[in-house]
C-alpha cells in the first residue's frame, strides 16, 4: 500500500522523535557516538534524537514524512545546502545535548558532522541528518518511496546539485547503490567506516 507523502512541521515532532529513535537504536555509527556499551546508551540516544528533531523544526528546516492511515511511518529531516551546520552550531542545541547526552557524546557527534561535511566536494548539496522507516514497516518499499519523495523535493531547489547521505551500516550499501546513489568516499568515525553517497539532482 502506498503511503501519503507529507511535508512535516512541529506538530509531527513527537512522532518523528519516536520513529527515529527506533530507527537508529542499532545503527553502528550511533552506537559508537553514544557509547552503546556503557550504561545509559538508550537515554543518550533518545536525548540526542529529541534535541535534533526539536531544533530542526524550531529552525523551520524541511522534513518529509510518509503517513499510512494518519500514522507517521517514515521520516527524513533535510538540511539545505546553506544550512548544513545550522543545528550543531546552535548554542541552544549544544546546551540541550550537554545536559542530557553528556560532553563526550556531544563532542563526538559534532566531530562526526564536521568530518562528514569536510569530506564532501565543493558545491551545493542537500544533506539528510536523520532518515528512518519505522521497524514495523521496513522491507515494504516505504524506504524507496520516501527517498523518491526527497529526491523530487530537492530537485525543486534549482541551486542544489543533489542529495548526500551517509551510513556506517554495511547492510545498506547495496541498497543505496540500487537507488541510484554513487559512493563519494569513506571516512573513519572511530572504529566505524562511514560510507558517503551522492544522488544527483536530475532535471529535464
Amino acid at each position: 500500500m502506498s503511503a501519503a507523502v507529507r511535508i512535516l512541521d512541529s506538530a509531527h515532532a513527537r512522532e518523528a522523535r519516536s520513529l527515529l529513535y527506533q530507527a537508529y537504536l542499532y545503527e553502528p555509527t550511533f552506537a559508537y557516538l553514544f557509547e552503546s556499551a556503557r550504561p545509559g546508551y538508550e537515554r543518550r540516544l533518545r536525548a540526542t534524537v529529541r534535541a535534533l528533531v526539536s531544533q530542526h523544526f524550531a529552525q523551520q528546516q524541511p522534513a518529509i514524512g510518509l503517513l499510512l492511515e494518519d500514522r507517521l511511518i517514515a521520516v527524513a529531516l533535510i538540511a539545505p545546502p546553506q544550512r548544513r551546520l545550522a543545528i550543531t552550531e546552535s548554542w541552544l542545541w549544544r546546551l540541550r545535548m550537554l545536559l542530557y547526552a553528556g560532553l563526550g557524546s556531544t563532542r563526538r557527534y559534532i566531530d562526526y558532522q564536521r568530518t562528514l561535511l569536510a569530506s564532501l566536494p565543493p558545491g551545493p548539496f542537500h544533506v539528510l541528518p536523520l532518515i528512518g522507516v519505522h521497524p514495523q514497516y521496513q522491507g515494504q518499499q516505504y524506504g524507496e518511496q520516501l527517498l523518491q519523495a526527497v529526491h523530487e523535493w530537492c530537485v525543486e531547489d534549482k541551486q542544489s546539485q543533489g542529495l548526500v547521505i551517509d551510513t556506517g551500516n554495511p547492510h545498506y550499501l547495496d541498497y543505496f547503490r540500487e537507488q541510484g546513489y554513487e559512493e563519494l568516499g569513506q571516512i573513519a568515525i572511530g572504529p566505524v567506516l562511514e560510507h558517503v553517497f551522492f544522488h544527483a539532482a536530475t532535471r529535464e
Side-chain angles (χ1 to χ4, degrees), residues 46-183:
R46 193 182 298 276
T48 299
V49 172
R50 181 172 64 244
L52 287 169
V53 172
S54 297
Q55 194 69 5
H56 191 90
F57 284 120
Q59 294 181 346
Q60 298 183 329
Q61 297 212 48
I64 292 178
L66 298 184
L67 279 78
L68 198 61
E69 298 179 350
D70 295 326
R71 179 183 182 183
L72 185 66
I73 64 168
V75 60
L77 305 188
I78 307 171
Q82 66 276 19
R83 303 184 67 186
R84 291 173 183 165
L85 276 173
I87 289 179
T88 54
E89 294 297 335
S90 162
W91 286 107
L92 178 58
W93 177 85
R94 292 189 180 196
L95 178 60
R96 286 173 174 165
M97 286 289 290
L98 288 170
L99 288 173
Y100 299 112
L103 179 60
S105 293
T106 302
R107 282 179 172 172
R108 278 189 294 276
Y109 187 83
I110 291 173
D111 288 345
Y112 152 63
Q113 285 293 310
R114 287 178 172 168
T115 301
L116 171 63
L117 295 178
S119 73
L120 302 183
F125 307 103
H126 284 82
V127 177
L128 295 182
L130 293 175
I131 181 172
V133 177
H134 191 286
Q136 183 180 341
Y137 295 93
Q138 291 176 4
Q140 302 178 47
Q141 305 297 309
Y142 291 117
E144 289 86 338
Q145 186 185 356
L146 179 62
L147 282 176
Q148 183 60 36
V150 172
H151 297 159
E152 292 173 0
W153 189 92
C154 291
V155 165
E156 295 299 317
D157 183 347
K158 303 302 182 184
Q159 303 301 316
S160 178
Q161 295 179 13
L163 177 69
V164 170
I165 193 168
D166 64 293
T167 181
N169 191 335
H171 175 72
Y172 293 126
L173 302 183
D174 287 339
Y175 174 80
F176 284 123
R177 295 183 183 111
E178 290 168 0
Q179 303 308 310
Y181 282 79
E182 172 191 357
E183 186 165 354

Side-chain angles (χ1 to χ4, degrees), residues 16-70:
R17 291 196 304 264
S18 176
L19 188 158
L20 289 167
Y21 164 77
Q22 294 179 69
Y24 280 89
L25 185 57
Y26 301 108
E27 285 301 298
T29 305
F30 278 60
Y32 162 71
L33 293 173
F34 304 110
E35 301 177 281
S36 62
R38 186 165 66 87
Y41 166 64
E42 293 185 4
R43 173 183 55 80
R44 291 188 294 276
L45 177 61
R46 193 182 298 276
T48 299
V49 172
R50 181 172 64 244
L52 287 169
V53 172
S54 297
Q55 194 69 5
H56 191 90
F57 284 120
Q59 294 181 346
Q60 298 183 329
Q61 297 212 48
I64 292 178
L66 298 184
L67 279 78
L68 198 61
E69 298 179 350
D70 295 326

